[in-house]
Amino acid sequence: MRKIKNFLPALFLSLLSLGILIYLVFNQTPNSEFTFGGIHLGMSYIFLALLFVFIFGISSFVLKNFRRGAFIGAFVALYLVLRILNLTHVFFFLILLALFISLDLFFVYNK
């Protein structure tokens, strides 16, 4: 039970980010901008950040490992960035997958 208590804040944060993400998808256009303190952010940046937080929280809760949750969230976000940049060849996916698998193995064997 103690292990689950450590990951509950990540679960609540991911569910909150999912709610905000659903709101943005249904109520905002992709070209709209969000202004906060003089900084203009496009909705694609906010979408990718919220998606990372959601996937990070859910995968951390399921796997009970924050590092792997961060790797999975970063993998999905970077894959979507590659798709936005029209780098859609399978080779880019495999390179990204190999990079994150090797990073995970690097951190596992250096403990």
Side-chain angles (χ1 to χ4, degrees):
M1 186 70 177
R2 183 176 174 168
K3 279 287 220 187
I4 292 175
K5 285 184 182 180
N6 292 340
F7 293 99
L8 280 179
L11 180 66
F12 292 135
L13 184 65
S14 68
L15 292 177
L16 178 68
S17 68
L18 177 65
I20 296 170
L21 191 64
I22 290 171
Y23 172 77
L24 287 178
V25 166
F26 287 121
N27 294 325
Q28 298 291 326
T29 62
N31 296 332
S32 62
E33 287 186 351
F34 181 72
T35 304
F36 182 72
I39 299 172
H40 301 284
L41 291 175
M43 281 300 147
S44 59
Y45 299 122
I46 296 170
F47 174 79
L48 288 173
L50 287 173
L51 186 69
F52 168 77
V53 170
F54 170 67
I55 293 175
F56 165 70
I58 290 294
S59 59
S60 294
F61 183 74
V62 170
L63 298 175
K64 299 202 181 359
N65 191 334
F66 284 118
R67 185 190 70 238
R68 289 193 178 140
F71 283 162
I72 292 171
F75 174 76
V76 170
L78 285 175
Y79 179 70
L80 289 177
V81 167
L82 289 176
R83 296 285 299 198
I84 289 170
L85 296 173
N86 289 326
L87 300 173
T88 57
H89 198 272
V90 177
F91 180 70
F92 294 113
F93 173 75
L94 293 176
I95 291 292
L96 195 63
L97 185 65
L99 173 72
F100 279 99
I101 289 174
S102 62
L103 276 175
D104 188 42
L105 290 175
F106 175 75
F107 284 110
V108 165
Y109 289 127
N110 278 340
K111 275 191 169 181

